[in-house]
Amino acid sequence: GDSVTQMEGPVTLSEEACLTINCTYTATGYPSLFWYVQYPGEGLQLLLKATKADDKGSNKGFEATYRKETTSFHLEKGSVQVSDSAVYFCALKGSSWGSARQLTFGSGTQLTVLP
Amino acid sequence: KAGVTQTPRYLIKTRGQQVTLSCSPISGHRSVSWYQQTPGQGLQFLFEYFSETQRNKGNFPGRFSGRQFSNSRSEMNVSTLELGDSALYLCASSVGTGPSPTYETQYFGPGTRLLVL
């Protein structure tokens, strides 16, 4: 079945440092890929998405490119802020009938940004 | 538009009791999905409802059930609670009628945190 493997955390960075959180996936066909962010005590917020190979999703300075050849969707930001501290989840929706109607999540990466 | 709302936000129950959680989707969204989030198992899909019908189900025991009403609001029920049911339960909504469900974004509510003692 579909699966998402995410970089182990926690990750601690200083403000203005560069961020990369690795995400790779296993899925048949052509899934859609998502990054969600969860702030303490809250639900999940969509950060960005990509629905086909070579698409780049971007939002709030974060970017991720859908790489089918490497089955990856790594999250990047050039300069992190303290307010970016949160848990980040990589997820996919598959292309089969069932998997297209549910999100399959990675384990999450806790990011802490220090001032 | 208002986002996905979930009630209650917090619940404390004891083993053996049952609980009902409620979710109101974004206006115009007809698909509602439920997920369980725990530190050990992460985020796991429970089930999805569309037009009052369960369309998809995850790998959870029959103690977990749900329903959807004609206004797309949804409830999930957990009977005979166990300690391991302590979790954050998240509801997500999506349009549900797009050309391909693979492309549809699910929007999440703030969750209901359930503690079973």
Side-chain angles (χ1 to χ4, degrees):
Chain A
D2 298 342
S3 66
V4 177
T5 302
Q6 211 176 313
M7 173 177 167
E8 293 284 331
V11 173
T12 303
L13 296 173
S14 297
E15 205 165 26
E16 299 183 4
C18 294
L19 169 71
T20 299
I21 301 177
N22 290 335
C23 171
T24 57
Y25 67 89
T26 301
T28 55
Y30 299 89
S32 287
L33 301 172
F34 303 82
W35 278 100
Y36 283 87
V37 59
Q38 186 174 37
Y39 297 99
E42 297 185 12
L44 301 178
Q45 295 179 24
L46 176 70
L47 185 57
L48 52 84
K49 66 183 270 191
T51 58
K52 62 182 189 296
D54 300 325
D55 263 2
K56 177 185 283 190
S58 61
N59 186 26
K60 300 180 182 179
F62 290 91
E63 292 183 339
T65 301
Y66 185 161
R67 301 284 189 202
K68 191 153 180 69
E69 64 275 14
T70 54
T71 61
S72 65
F73 193 55
H74 305 320
L75 182 67
E76 299 177 324
K77 188 175 186 184
S79 175
V80 294
Q81 306 300 312
V82 172
S83 57
D84 294 327
S85 298
V87 180
Y88 292 81
F89 292 93
C90 185
L92 71 79
K93 291 181 82 184
S95 48
S96 66
W97 194 94
S99 66
R101 289 169 172 79
Q102 66 186 77
L103 285 160
T104 298
F105 287 93
S107 55
T109 301
Q110 171 77 57
L111 170 66
T112 301
V113 180
L114 303 176
Chain B
K1 277 185 181 178
V4 178
T5 58
Q6 292 187 245
T7 56
R9 292 293 308 276
Y10 303 93
L11 267 178
I12 300 176
K13 293 285 186 180
T14 56
R15 277 181 300 174
Q17 288 187 309
Q18 75 164 17
V19 67
T20 299
L21 313 181
S22 181
C23 171
S24 291
I26 292 169
S27 178
H29 285 193
R30 294 172 59 188
S31 171
V32 174
S33 299
W34 289 89
Y35 294 83
Q36 181 196 64
Q37 185 179 22
T38 60
Q41 299 299 316
L43 281 151
Q44 294 185 287
F45 170 73
L46 281 155
F47 28 65
E48 184 230 2
Y49 284 86
F50 177 82
S51 287
E52 304 178 64
T53 301
Q54 188 182 87
R55 279 201 304 199
N56 198 15
K57 188 176 189 309
N59 189 25
F60 278 82
R63 299 186 297 107
F64 292 82
S65 62
R67 59 177 175 166
Q68 187 180 35
F69 302 94
S70 58
N71 61 359
S72 295
R73 191 177 69 85
S74 177
E75 290 181 347
M76 69 163 280
N77 184 277
V78 188
S79 62
T80 320
L81 283 166
E82 301 177 359
L83 295 178
D85 297 333
S86 294
L88 180 66
Y89 290 89
L90 293 162
C91 168
S93 76
S94 62
V95 173
T97 56
S100 171
T102 301
Y103 301 150
E104 284 193 4
T105 298
Q106 293 189 357
Y107 296 92
F108 284 80
T112 294
R113 188 164 296 281
L114 171 66
L115 177 61
V116 182
L117 302 175

